[in-house]
Amino acid sequence: MSNVKVAVVFYSMGGTNYQLAQWAAEGAKEAGAEVKVVKVQELAPQSVIDSNEVWKATVDATKDVPVASSEDIEWADAIIFSVPTRFGTMPSQMKQFIDLQGGLWATGKTVNKVVSAMTSAQNPHGGQEATLLSLYTSMMHWGAIIATPGYTDPVLFGAGGNPYGTSVTVGQDGKMIEDVQGAVKHQAKRTVTVAEWVKKGNQ
């Protein structure tokens, strides 16, 4: 059986979800997967980005990361999403990307993709769980198989114990409050394992 192919799809304004995506890629590779890290298309006007130093720095830091496409979703056996929360749901940039996959969905090419998601917010109750649930709702329509971390490893408790997906609180200084690197890697490895089961079952 060929290695599981994982697309790590992120949107990041302050750099947090770019870091989560990189940790997820490391975890998936450690589990033997072939990995692509891709970002969704930015929709904000350049003038707005330029007026925010942190946002501008993130755009510059990710300028060489490929923009996600339908081809990446079709290629992948598993998809790990990483997004900040925006008023308790995913950012418009990620929503547009998902909405643009109607062609894949209509031809059955999203069925049985194994998916998992991570998020961040500025406080522990800033919509982290709601954001993940809103993204997973779309995945149910895709016919995808949702692979949450649940409470499958003690490392999750040190990271805040979110069973829906790793979530992290980002302080006013822009730094992560919880230590989530281990939880992200565990979630990525679990996603790869579930994708391996599905891939073997489909052969």
Side-chain angles (χ1 to χ4, degrees):
M1 186 181 77
S2 61
N3 289 2
V4 165
K5 297 188 287 288
V6 177
V8 181
V9 183
F10 75 92
Y11 174 72
S12 191
M13 192 186 102
T16 300
N17 285 278
Y18 179 41
Q19 179 63 76
L20 296 181
Q22 291 173 301
W23 286 335
E26 290 171 13
K29 287 175 184 174
E30 288 169 11
E34 181 181 347
V35 182
K36 286 183 184 180
V37 177
V38 291
K39 65 186 178 187
V40 296
Q41 186 70 52
E42 181 58 80
L43 302 177
Q46 190 63 44
S47 59
V48 175
I49 296 169
D50 289 342
S51 69
N52 183 313
E53 287 184 17
V54 174
W55 197 348
K56 187 174 185 296
T58 303
V59 169
D60 290 343
T62 60
K63 66 181 186 299
D64 295 327
V65 177
V67 173
S69 67
S70 297
E71 288 73 25
D72 296 319
I73 299 301
E74 188 170 355
W75 168 86
D77 300 305
I79 307 152
I80 300 171
F81 294 97
S82 190
V83 294
T85 182
R86 292 288 183 271
F87 303 114
T89 188
M90 72 184 93
S92 57
Q93 290 86 347
M94 184 62 76
K95 184 66 166 65
Q96 174 176 270
F97 175 73
I98 290 173
D99 288 347
L100 288 173
Q101 306 316 311
L104 287 185
W105 168 82
T107 53
K109 291 176 180 174
T110 59
V111 172
N112 292 337
K113 299 290 185 184
V114 174
V115 300
S116 202
M118 307 174 294
T119 191
S120 64
Q122 286 195 329
N123 56 73
H125 301 290
Q128 296 178 358
E129 293 174 6
T131 295
L132 296 176
L133 290 169
S134 73
L135 197 152
Y136 289 152
T137 296
S138 297
M139 295 301 100
M140 292 177 200
H141 284 255
W142 277 19
I145 296 167
I146 300 168
T148 65
Y151 295 112
T152 52
D153 191 282
V155 73
L156 297 161
F157 294 100
N162 189 339
Y164 304 100
T166 305
S167 62
V168 67
T169 311
V170 180
Q172 293 298 317
D173 60 359
K175 295 179 181 177
M176 298 185 213
I177 293 173
E178 299 90 1
D179 179 7
V180 298
Q181 182 176 359
V184 169
K185 286 191 169 188
H186 170 73
Q187 183 173 347
K189 290 174 183 178
R190 175 168 160 76
T191 304
V192 171
T193 298
V194 175
E196 285 173 344
W197 296 338
V198 173
K199 196 166 185 174
K200 284 176 184 174
N202 280 331
Q203 286 186 334

